[in-house]
Amino acid sequence: MSPRIHLPTGWVTFVFTDIEGSTRLAQLLGPDYRPLLREHRRLLRRTVAATEGAELLTEGDSFFLAFADASAALTACLTAQRALISHDWPTPDATPRVRMGLHTGWAEPRDGEYASPEVHRAARIAAAAHGGQVLCSAATVHHADPMPGGASLLDLGLYRLRGFDDRERLFQLIAPGLERQFPRPRTAEAAAHNLPTQVSSFVGRQAEWAELRRLVESSRLVTVLGAGGTGKTRLAVELAADLVESHPDGVWFVDIATVADPGLVAFAVADVLGLRPEPGRPMVDTLVEYAAARRILVLLDTCDAQPAASAEAISRLLAGGVGVRVLATSRESFGLPGEVVWRIPPLSVDPPVAGGESDAVALLLDRATAARGGRRPDPVESADLRRVVRRLDGVPLAIELAAARLRVLSVGQLAERLDDVLGTLDAGRDSLEPSASERHRTMQATLTWSYRTLNPRAARLLRWLAVFAGPVDLSTVEWLLEDDQLDPLSVLVDKSMVLAEPDVGGSTYRMLDPIRAYAARRLAAAGEEQAARNRHVAWSAHALRRLRLGPDGRPVTLSLYALDPLVGELRAALRWCATGGSAQAGLALASGLDQWWRERGLAWKGRHWLSRLYDRTVETGESIPDAELAAAYHMHSLHAGADGEFAEELRYSQRAEAVARQVGDAGLLARVLAGRAAPLVDLGQFAEAEQVCREVIDWAHRQDVVGDALFAVFSLAELLWRRGALDEAAELLGAARPVEAGRPSERGRRTVDMLLGLVALARGDLIAAHEHLLVALRSRMAHGFHRRACDTLEAIAVRCAAGADPLTAARLFGAARATRAALRSAPGIYGEYFARWQAQVRETLGDVTFDGAYGEGAGWGMEEAAAVALGVEHPDLAAGSTRFAAGVAQPTIASPLGPATAHPDHA
């Protein structure tokens, strides 16, 4: 120790170092070992001096150092390891591999030395390290602030050091230039085994397990033989786990399938045992010397990957020590003296005499339950389960694969497909085996490695599935590619490139976004994008048509809820139409989303897509038929009105009319002309709007297309209600009811009932108002017309106010307005009417009570608000109802308003 350096006191970081395998190195180098040792000391002392450490003891190849600062101690170790690694040693075999251990504790020097258990703890930490490794305690981590530049610490877990009763958490210093991978620390409580953790339960095999155990306990080498997939590894691992207690020096699993070169088999075994190569000595000799004095069980798995080298390693291990036992799995025996060969049978397919399921059925049940997300196969499928396992001869891997197929098929369907067992279970499994060394470096590399294992059909399906935005069912997949896709789809599910989500109505399949993005790149690279995405557009149009038809092929009432699951796909199809596909096809898809956009408060999105499709026609020169263009302009006008863009609304209404007049389609022209009143209403020109409605209705009657002018009928009824012409409005709506009922796209909205409810309110007929409005609300909610349901909620709030229930009225007003805000919607022509009733409710309740009730309603969701409205008591059930009292006139309600004023957003 230099007299100029004082020993630190207080929190001291102790460091021990030595050369791993120094005795072997000295024997190898002979006289050349001394200069190597001197150079090793010089390099370490230089780093100690630079970091102000104190050298307490140097003995042979060992150093004992003390530092006042834990950060300085870690820096010294890092610098020393880098210096040792970068130094030009005489030969690679002559490179000293130095292990280092650090611990920080409270200590005070006495007579030039430390007498403290903290010193011994640091020495034990160093003894646990491997050559080239730096280990430290949690105390050192706590005091090491800051860390050396670019360095970090890897938590290795808790270990019991020799001579200490407590556990010490050990950390490994990680930094550029330092080796990172080491065997487990050499501690008193090193793990007693390294058996792989199983992610699924061990099912059956009780008789085989007991028989194999007896053989292993009585023989030093037992080889489990069987064909691939018969469950050799699983049974051997389960048995080995039960033998840990009887092998105090451990049970060690070595996967020979991962060994690429026969010469590395001994190294693989040594690495599992925590052994490092020694200079100038064959690895197998080091291995035999280590095992000679120990009682260990070595489980060598898949020895048929390197049969000769495995046999050599087994022979040497068994010859080196009587405490060594070997359990091996292979497809062929080694032919070694003393080898006991045990052939694994298939799982029993016959139920036991005592009752219950056979091992094979039990395994299939267990795995199918896992594959289906915890749902066990139905008891009615028991017969099919037995059929399956019998056809598979009880082979565990085949049963596991069959269970995975049950993500896609019912048990009965699977049983029917087992005429071709290999074709059913192994379709597409003739995969390549690329090198795994680089596959996890990036997402692209990871997915490429997986993609390379796909057969051509599975790879093509993966590429084409990239066009879908969300989950699809099997029929959709087969529609896309126009043939049976079960085999390639099952391959993708098995390889986790497609996720299967079982459901009572049939499984659906989806890709994670990174995989979809990767598949889309592959689709483009394969030159298939145009065909695949056009096919997806065609499927989207097909899906829209199918939603409007019942099982018998006849039109059904339009439900916007049915569109909800399709919106993602339609959006993806629209994106393609606007960027690389057909604008005409895109306009057809947009028309299918017309009401959905407006009822969900997304009219602006409709306008956005329509504008992009117009631009696409300019870009490509694609010609759009006039009828389709007129329909698109009309739709655009309605969307602009819903968004309060009245100038745009009027402009596109005029464009739609101009184009429609050139087509010669009376129905189309009636629909377009029926929309002419909307911009006028939005601009407050009510008289002009009423005149337009009458003209359109008269013209539609003459052309016998009154159904296509239904929008004009409803607009006229609203205008008549607004100016108090209630009898004419009611008569008009009565005539419109059968027309509405005959139009599947209209009848779910129940506009006739909504307007008759308003007419009844204006007449003071609470009973009729109640019945009409609840019918309208129930239908609108049932079919997903949320924007229109807001109108009905407010109308029911008026009915409650007129029926002496102002609290419910306030709540419903609050719920409707909150929902309108979320939907970017306004009440249109009804706005002034609702506002005046709301003001009267506020006056009745007072500001505090009204605001409380209004706020409560604003916190409701649409479903909750509708439930409250539908639960409003019928006037006939109200206390004091006189409807059925003889000779008693019905009461009327006084409206708080005069003529309503126009409000934007009538569409």
Side-chain angles (χ1 to χ4, degrees), residues 158-238:
L158 292 168
Y159 292 87
R160 180 167 288 124
L161 303 173
R162 287 183 177 87
F164 290 86
D165 293 331
D166 60 331
R167 292 170 179 260
E168 181 66 56
R169 186 171 294 280
L170 298 181
F171 294 81
Q172 178 183 323
L173 181 64
I174 304 295
L178 268 60
E179 189 176 348
R180 184 186 178 100
Q181 299 297 326
F182 294 95
R184 67 189 184 285
R186 298 184 176 104
T187 62
E189 198 185 42
H193 70 84
N194 71 329
L195 296 172
T197 301
Q198 303 300 322
V199 297
S200 59
S201 58
F202 182 62
V203 179
R205 293 284 196 199
Q206 297 306 308
E208 293 92 334
W209 184 91
E211 182 181 352
L212 184 58
R213 176 169 183 148
R214 287 194 297 270
L215 293 175
V216 172
E217 288 176 339
S218 60
S219 306
R220 295 183 60 206
L221 171 59
V222 177
T223 304
V224 180
L225 286 190
T230 50
K232 301 182 297 294
T233 300
R234 185 61 189 271
L235 177 59
V237 169
E238 291 294 329

Side-chain angles (χ1 to χ4, degrees), residues 227-519:
T230 50
K232 301 182 297 294
T233 300
R234 185 61 189 271
L235 177 59
V237 169
E238 291 294 329
L239 173 62
D242 200 60
L243 296 174
V244 173
E245 295 280 342
S246 58
H247 293 82
D249 294 308
V251 174
W252 308 109
F253 177 89
V254 185
D255 185 4
I256 304 300
T258 63
V259 181
D261 186 273
L264 298 178
V265 169
F267 285 84
V269 178
D271 185 63
V272 165
L273 295 174
L275 304 176
R276 307 279 286 183
E278 296 180 296
R281 190 183 195 193
M283 190 70 248
V284 70
D285 291 347
T286 302
L287 178 61
V288 170
E289 180 183 294
Y290 172 85
R294 287 173 168 82
R295 291 177 58 193
I296 60 175
L297 172 65
V298 180
L299 171 50
L300 298 180
D301 188 46
T302 320
C303 292
D304 45 286
Q306 299 290 349
S310 297
E312 172 66 16
I314 291 170
S315 179
R316 293 290 303 274
L317 277 170
L318 294 175
V322 295
V324 178
R325 293 178 184 271
V326 175
L327 175 61
T329 71
S330 182
R331 298 183 187 187
E332 56 184 315
S333 64
F334 302 109
L336 294 173
E339 178 185 16
V340 175
V341 177
W342 184 78
R343 295 187 177 275
I344 187 169
L347 289 169
S348 170
V349 298
D350 297 318
V353 177
E357 297 289 0
S358 66
D359 284 354
V361 170
L363 178 63
L364 182 56
L365 275 169
D366 182 84
R367 300 303 190 257
T369 300
R372 291 177 169 181
R375 294 187 294 273
R376 286 176 63 85
D378 194 279
V380 300
E381 297 180 292
S382 296
D384 287 330
L385 288 168
R386 297 187 186 98
R387 285 175 59 200
V388 169
V389 299
R390 286 187 180 277
R391 295 298 305 273
L392 299 177
D393 287 327
V395 176
L397 178 58
I399 292 172
E400 299 264 6
L401 295 174
R405 286 293 178 118
L406 294 179
R407 301 174 190 144
V408 181
L409 303 170
S410 70
V411 182
Q413 288 175 318
L414 176 62
E416 292 299 325
R417 291 176 176 267
L418 287 179
D419 287 337
D420 177 12
V421 172
L422 293 180
T424 300
L425 299 182
D426 292 342
R429 295 181 184 276
D430 52 339
S431 58
L432 303 174
E433 279 298 334
S435 169
S437 60
E438 298 293 319
R439 72 180 187 271
H440 290 150
R441 293 196 62 176
T442 64
M443 181 63 73
Q444 177 88 359
T446 298
L447 295 174
T448 297
W449 183 84
S450 297
Y451 183 79
R452 289 171 57 193
T453 69
L454 301 177
N455 64 37
R457 289 190 70 204
R460 179 172 183 253
L461 177 57
L462 183 75
R463 296 193 299 269
W464 281 58
L465 286 177
V467 301
F468 288 106
V472 293
D473 57 19
L474 181 59
S475 63
T476 298
V477 175
E478 293 178 335
W479 198 97
L480 182 72
L481 288 164
E482 299 185 288
D483 62 1
D484 183 3
Q485 292 296 315
L486 178 60
D487 284 347
L489 180 61
S490 296
V491 171
L492 296 178
V493 171
D494 288 341
K495 294 179 181 294
S496 297
M497 301 195 81
V498 169
L499 301 179
E501 298 172 337
D503 187 75
V504 174
S507 296
T508 57
Y509 312 92
R510 67 182 179 91
M511 285 192 290
L512 298 176
D513 286 344
I515 297 177
R516 181 183 295 108
Y518 177 85

Side-chain angles (χ1 to χ4, degrees), residues 127-149:
H130 297 274
Q133 187 178 33
V134 180
L135 294 182
C136 68
S137 67
T140 298
V141 174
H142 177 73
H143 288 86
D145 186 19
M147 287 287 295

Side-chain angles (χ1 to χ4, degrees), residues 711-870:
F711 187 68
V713 173
F714 293 152
S715 296
L716 179 57
E718 289 173 339
L719 290 164
L720 293 171
W721 163 81
R722 181 185 180 278
R723 67 178 177 84
L726 302 180
D727 291 344
E728 186 181 357
E731 182 181 355
L732 184 67
L733 290 167
R737 184 183 288 283
V739 179
E740 180 188 57
R743 295 179 67 83
S745 62
E746 306 282 348
R747 60 187 177 220
R749 301 194 302 235
R750 289 282 189 155
T751 306
V752 168
D753 277 297
M754 169 66 189
L755 294 177
L756 284 174
L758 288 173
V759 169
L761 283 174
R763 284 172 165 171
D765 187 348
L766 272 187
I767 293 172
H770 181 96
E771 292 172 351
H772 284 302
L773 292 176
L774 262 63
V775 166
L777 179 61
R778 188 174 291 111
S779 182
R780 289 178 171 191
M781 288 301 298
H783 295 94
F785 292 95
H786 293 166
R787 181 168 168 266
R788 294 173 188 272
C790 286
D791 294 337
T792 315
L793 279 178
E794 292 207 75
I796 294 174
V798 173
R799 172 257 174 275
C800 290
D805 186 3
L807 271 176
T808 300
R811 294 182 183 115
L812 292 177
F813 278 130
R817 293 302 170 93
T819 303
R820 284 194 192 282
L823 295 178
R824 298 163 54 114
S825 168
I829 199 170
Y830 316 125
E832 183 65 21
Y833 177 75
F834 293 151
R836 293 197 180 186
W837 271 103
Q838 182 175 311
Q840 178 170 303
V841 171
R842 176 182 286 277
E843 183 179 347
T844 301
L845 293 174
D847 289 342
V848 174
T849 303
F850 175 86
D851 289 340
Y854 188 95
E856 179 185 350
W860 294 343
M862 189 70 182
E863 295 288 344
E864 186 177 0
V868 170
L870 293 171

Side-chain angles (χ1 to χ4, degrees), residues 470-817:
V472 293
D473 57 19
L474 181 59
S475 63
T476 298
V477 175
E478 293 178 335
W479 198 97
L480 182 72
L481 288 164
E482 299 185 288
D483 62 1
D484 183 3
Q485 292 296 315
L486 178 60
D487 284 347
L489 180 61
S490 296
V491 171
L492 296 178
V493 171
D494 288 341
K495 294 179 181 294
S496 297
M497 301 195 81
V498 169
L499 301 179
E501 298 172 337
D503 187 75
V504 174
S507 296
T508 57
Y509 312 92
R510 67 182 179 91
M511 285 192 290
L512 298 176
D513 286 344
I515 297 177
R516 181 183 295 108
Y518 177 85
R521 287 188 181 185
R522 285 285 184 172
L523 182 71
E528 300 169 330
E529 185 171 30
Q530 188 83 30
R533 294 201 181 276
N534 285 344
R535 186 69 177 161
H536 178 250
V537 170
W539 173 84
S540 299
H542 166 75
L544 279 174
R545 290 192 297 271
R546 188 175 57 189
L547 288 180
R548 297 172 183 267
L549 302 176
D552 58 357
R554 300 178 63 183
V556 296
T557 303
L558 173 64
S559 172
L560 299 186
Y561 292 127
L563 278 170
D564 288 340
L566 272 181
V567 169
E569 300 302 338
L570 297 174
R571 188 182 299 117
L574 280 171
R575 186 179 300 110
W576 171 250
C577 291
T579 56
S582 163
Q584 182 181 1
L587 290 174
L589 296 179
S591 70
L593 282 169
D594 173 25
Q595 294 197 65
W596 188 89
W597 274 324
R598 283 186 285 144
E599 290 295 322
R600 294 294 187 271
L602 298 171
W604 62 274
K605 281 196 173 182
R607 293 162 54 220
H608 164 79
W609 284 115
L610 289 170
S611 296
R612 290 189 63 180
L613 292 168
Y614 304 150
D615 293 342
R616 178 68 177 167
T617 63
V618 174
E619 176 187 339
T620 63
E622 181 182 3
S623 177
I624 306 297
D626 284 345
E628 296 174 31
L629 192 59
Y633 287 158
H634 174 58
M635 175 170 54
H636 197 139
S637 172
L638 295 177
H639 286 211
D643 276 344
E645 299 292 340
F646 305 133
E648 183 178 339
E649 176 188 23
L650 181 60
R651 184 168 66 252
Y652 276 95
S653 175
Q654 293 169 343
R655 288 183 184 179
E657 182 177 345
V659 177
R661 289 187 180 280
Q662 301 173 18
V663 175
D665 182 335
L668 170 65
L669 184 57
R671 292 192 297 276
V672 171
L673 292 176
R676 285 174 58 188
L680 298 174
V681 170
D682 289 333
L683 294 171
Q685 300 174 22
F686 300 111
E688 294 86 343
E690 184 174 332
Q691 181 180 347
V692 165
C693 288
R694 293 183 184 280
E695 291 173 355
V696 171
I697 293 169
D698 290 344
W699 179 85
H701 274 291
R702 292 195 301 271
Q703 299 295 323
D704 196 24
V705 288
V706 68
D708 290 296
L710 194 58
F711 187 68
V713 173
F714 293 152
S715 296
L716 179 57
E718 289 173 339
L719 290 164
L720 293 171
W721 163 81
R722 181 185 180 278
R723 67 178 177 84
L726 302 180
D727 291 344
E728 186 181 357
E731 182 181 355
L732 184 67
L733 290 167
R737 184 183 288 283
V739 179
E740 180 188 57
R743 295 179 67 83
S745 62
E746 306 282 348
R747 60 187 177 220
R749 301 194 302 235
R750 289 282 189 155
T751 306
V752 168
D753 277 297
M754 169 66 189
L755 294 177
L756 284 174
L758 288 173
V759 169
L761 283 174
R763 284 172 165 171
D765 187 348
L766 272 187
I767 293 172
H770 181 96
E771 292 172 351
H772 284 302
L773 292 176
L774 262 63
V775 166
L777 179 61
R778 188 174 291 111
S779 182
R780 289 178 171 191
M781 288 301 298
H783 295 94
F785 292 95
H786 293 166
R787 181 168 168 266
R788 294 173 188 272
C790 286
D791 294 337
T792 315
L793 279 178
E794 292 207 75
I796 294 174
V798 173
R799 172 257 174 275
C800 290
D805 186 3
L807 271 176
T808 300
R811 294 182 183 115
L812 292 177
F813 278 130
R817 293 302 170 93

Side-chain angles (χ1 to χ4, degrees), residues 37-48:
L37 187 60
R38 283 198 301 267
E39 190 64 10
H40 153 257
R41 290 173 177 169
R42 184 186 68 81
L43 292 173
L44 261 63
R45 284 178 174 141
R46 186 174 64 187
T47 60
V48 171

